[in-house]
Each structure stands twice: as C-alpha cells, then as structure tokens.
Amino acid sequence: MLFNSFIFIFIYLPVVVVVFFWLGRRSHTWASGWLALASLFFYGYWDYRYIPLLLASIGFNYCAGLRISQAVGSARKHWLVFAVTANLFLLVYFKYANFFLETINFVGVSETDFETLDIVLPIGISFYTFTQIAFLVDTYQGKVNEYRFVHYLLFVTYFPHLIAGPVLHHKEMMPQFADKRIYRPSSTNFAVGLTIFLIGLAKKVLIADNLAPYANPLFENTDTPSLLLAWGGVLAYTFQLYFDFSAYSDMAIGLSRLFGVKLPLNFNSPYKAGNISEFWRRWHMTLSRFLRDYLYFPLGGNRSGSFNRYRNLMAVMVLGGMWHGAGWNFIIWGGLHGFYLVIHHAWVAISRRLSFPSESEIWKLIATITTFVAVCFAWVFFRSPDLATSWEIVRGMTGGFGVALPEAIGNRIGILAPALQNLGVSFYLGGGSRFVETWGWIAFAAGITFFLPNTQELTHRFKPALDFKPSAELLAGRLARRLTWVPSRRWAIFLGLLTVISLLSLNRPNEFLYFQF
C-alpha cells in the first residue's frame, strides 16, 4: 500500500486512527496491538506471502534479545554474534545470493555456470533487519529496559517506517509506546501531522513524479548523450530522488505524529551541505547513524591514526553502497562516497595545519557547489542499470560526446548560433520543447531546494505548543499566544489548494524510489 494512494488516505488511515484512539481509551495494550496488526496488514497489502518471514524475524530477534539480556559472561556475546549472523544471513540470501552467483559465473571461478535463484526481494527487509540488529546490540550494551512483546512487535512493524525507514532505535521508540499520552487524541498533533504529511504528498506527486519523465530516458536508452542532454537527465534524477525521499520522510513523520509518536528526522536539505561529511549528516540520517554506531565505531573509527580512519571510512561506505543494492554499480557508488570522505578529511587536516581560510561566503559557495557536483556524478552509478550505461553517461557529462542544442533554439538565438558553432556546439533536429521543459523543471526544483525552507523549518513553530506546559495564568496571556502556532488564513488556503491539486494528481500513484532497497 502506498502513502500516495486513495485507499491509504481515505480508507486505511482514517480507520486505523479512529480505532486506535477508541481502543486507547479502554486499553493501551489493545491499542498497541491494533496498530501492530494494522501495520502487518499494511505490509501484507503488497504481498501477504512475506508476512510469515517478517513475523519469524520478529519472533527470533525478540527471543534472542531476551537471551542476551538474561545471559551472563561470554554467553551474552555468543548469543549476540549468533543472532546478528542469522539476521545477516537472511539479508544476504534474499538480497545478494543471485549477485554472488552472477559474479562467480562472470569471473569463471567454476567450470559450470550456476543458475540464479528464483527470489523475490521482500519489501523493507533491509530496514527491518537493520532495525532489529540495532536492538540486539543495544540489548547487549544494556541500553534496552523494556521487553513487552506487543511494543516490540509495534516497534518493528510500525507502518510509517516499515517500508523505507527511518532506521529506528529501540531506545527512542519503546518509551513513546509506553507513554499514556499518545493514546489520547491531540488537535495539535493532528495539525502538525497532517501539515507535514500534506507537504510530503505535494513533493511526491507534484515534483518528484513530474521530474521522472525527464530523467528516465537518459538511463533507459543511453545513446552517446551530449553534454547538456547528459547533465539534464542526471540533474532531473538528482532532484527527483531528492524530492521523492524527502516526501517519504515527511509523510512518515507526519503520519506518526497523528498518533503522538515522534520519528527521528531522516532528511534535512542535504544538497545545501558544504562538504560530503555534512551531506551524510543530512541525507538518510538514521542510516548514517546506524553505519557510524554499529560499523564505523566497532571497526575503530578514527582512534588508530589517519590510515585506519580512511580505511574504515572506505569500508563503511562500500558496505553502505551494498546495502542499497546488489550490484557493482552500488559498490562503485559507495566507494565514490568513501573516496569523497577520505579526500574531505585529508583536506580538513591539511587546512588546519596551513591555517587555510575557509569561512568566507565565497568559499562556502564553492564548497557547496563542489559537493553537489560530486554527489551528482555518484548518482549516475546509483541509478544506472549497468556499468556500461554509467560510463556512457559520465563520458557525456564530461563532454566526451560534444555539446549539442536543438535546432529550434539555434533559430531563436540569431547571430549567436554561428558563434556557438565555431566553439564546437552542434545543433540537432527536434527536441526543442523537451529540452526547454527538462531544464525548466530542473530550475524549478533547484530553486525550491536551495532557496526555500525545508519542511522542518516551515513547521518548527509547532514545537513549543507541544513541549511547553503553561500555567493557568499564562494561558490567558500574550506569552502563551506566542508559544502556540496559529496558521494564517493565507497559509491555510495555500495548504488547502496544494492538497486539492495533489489529490487530483493521484490517478496513477507511483512507488517511492527507496522501496527497491
């Protein structure tokens, strides 16, 4: 089931919310159980055959967590190693078995070719596996204090995050499920949640989905793309992925807020980052946190000198690339980001020694542009179906196939056309309107990305109304009025129009791009 579908918005969600709060007035356990069952239905709507696999994974990890918490001495570590290995084996089988077999066949290690397995990747398996590995490690480290099964079941299956994240920590979610306040409806939570959800819906259906037709042709039918055509397709995908993932992150946070549960922030204007480290602190933030806490730090982090630090960064990013997909393209994508991080940390170390001035606005602008361009090049490998396509597009982006413009544009620029031809620019028949549309959408998306506030910045004034508890005196005073966000009439009209336009665009809802991971 998709967040951006009529059946979810008008049937599933209202029923789940109403029954949850109705049961919450009678029994918190029953309300939690209902939300867990509704989440399982949400998951099974895609393919009910994988519900037993999800439940088996939950049952195994819950029992393993109990064993780890009750064991003493070296037995705790043995249980942890066993349980984590079992989780990784499950993930490797479903996600990487065919990749390994195809690689063996290609390299020719064996005299006989292995037949690939008939495996369908269960949706969300990477997310619920990583979530439960974090639970096992937290249990081993003594950070888990609550083991009610109904809450654990809800923690793993919770539908706002189950399919495409964020990757949750047990310690940040279980206390919320045990908080009796979430079982009472709150008008403020509804206002915050619906606003964030509707903004996310608009990002998905009005921007991300409209950028897809300008990105897909480049990757699906690559044929010696010239400089502007290659960059047009890559930038269209760059912003399509940005708004698609930002939309899902917003919608997940908004949906969760309806129940009074706060999900961790997972997306925070990453293209505004001034360096690649900051990019990863803003893009898929919970995955970055997981890789840092459960892989980078255990490998030694930066505690054993620069060489080991760079080695650990490369290892973590390559494994992070493999997490996204089973293919050499994803390994190269992860390796590129590892290389970027190594270069960045080396540059920081050199700059400190030389006292290089890097705080000027011009330098920050150059750094942001450089980071963005580097990320765009890496996205080519992330999106391309194979390495041959990737290299073809990269060659086009670097001018390997020349520069070309539609002839219709050449006819409109008059005396500039011959001058451009003298510089090596060629003109081709047709495609004028398509070319203009592509770059128009890119300019529109870039304007929103770089110059407008993100969803958190738009709605940050909601927070004091939730966190502040004014006295009876203050409730009648100006301070309380300042602390409570009251939407203006113009904002309400704008959000209403945005919602209507978004709903009218839902005739063919498209999957979120991160569903494939």
Side-chain angles (χ1 to χ4, degrees), residues 452-472:
L452 293 184
N454 60 34
T455 306
Q456 290 72 43
E457 292 165 341
L458 282 172
T459 59
H460 75 284
R461 284 179 293 174
F462 277 114
K463 294 179 181 179
L466 295 177
D467 300 332
F468 184 76
K469 297 177 181 178
S471 64

Side-chain angles (χ1 to χ4, degrees), residues 279-467:
F279 172 83
W280 279 105
R281 291 194 296 270
R282 290 168 171 260
W283 177 278
H284 212 327
M285 297 157 68
T286 57
L287 176 63
S288 299
R289 178 183 65 178
F290 179 92
L291 294 174
R292 180 197 66 196
D293 293 347
Y294 300 101
L295 192 55
Y296 180 68
F297 287 161
L299 286 173
N302 59 358
R303 295 192 297 270
S304 303
S306 297
F307 175 79
N308 288 331
R309 180 187 197 179
Y310 299 153
R311 179 203 64 194
N312 295 337
L313 284 171
M314 284 296 299
V316 168
M317 294 312 299
V318 168
L319 290 172
M322 289 189 68
W323 176 88
H324 281 84
W328 287 105
N329 274 35
F330 289 104
I331 293 174
I332 292 175
W333 173 76
L336 275 174
H337 274 279
F339 177 72
Y340 294 160
L341 287 168
V342 169
I343 295 297
H344 167 66
H345 286 290
W347 170 257
V348 169
I350 294 171
S351 299
R352 286 174 179 169
R353 291 177 186 174
L354 300 178
S355 300
F356 185 82
S358 59
E359 298 301 319
S360 68
E361 293 301 319
I362 295 296
W363 173 254
K364 290 179 180 178
L365 177 62
I366 293 172
T368 301
I369 294 173
T370 303
T371 302
F372 178 72
V373 171
V375 168
C376 288
F377 268 97
W379 284 142
V380 174
F381 295 91
F382 189 85
R383 171 63 177 84
S384 297
D386 51 56
L387 287 177
T389 300
S390 302
W391 295 121
E392 191 88 347
I393 294 173
V394 168
R395 186 179 174 188
M397 293 171 71
T398 53
F401 299 117
V403 183
L405 288 170
E407 192 175 69
I409 292 179
N411 294 334
R412 291 178 178 273
I413 58 178
I415 59 173
L416 289 178
L420 289 175
Q421 286 179 315
N422 292 334
L423 294 173
V425 178
S426 61
F427 294 91
Y428 58 90
L429 293 173
S433 60
R434 182 79 174 184
F435 182 89
V436 172
E437 288 174 12
T438 299
W439 285 96
W441 271 104
I442 290 170
F444 173 69
I448 295 175
T449 300
F450 291 106
F451 300 109
L452 293 184
N454 60 34
T455 306
Q456 290 72 43
E457 292 165 341
L458 282 172
T459 59
H460 75 284
R461 284 179 293 174
F462 277 114
K463 294 179 181 179
L466 295 177
D467 300 332

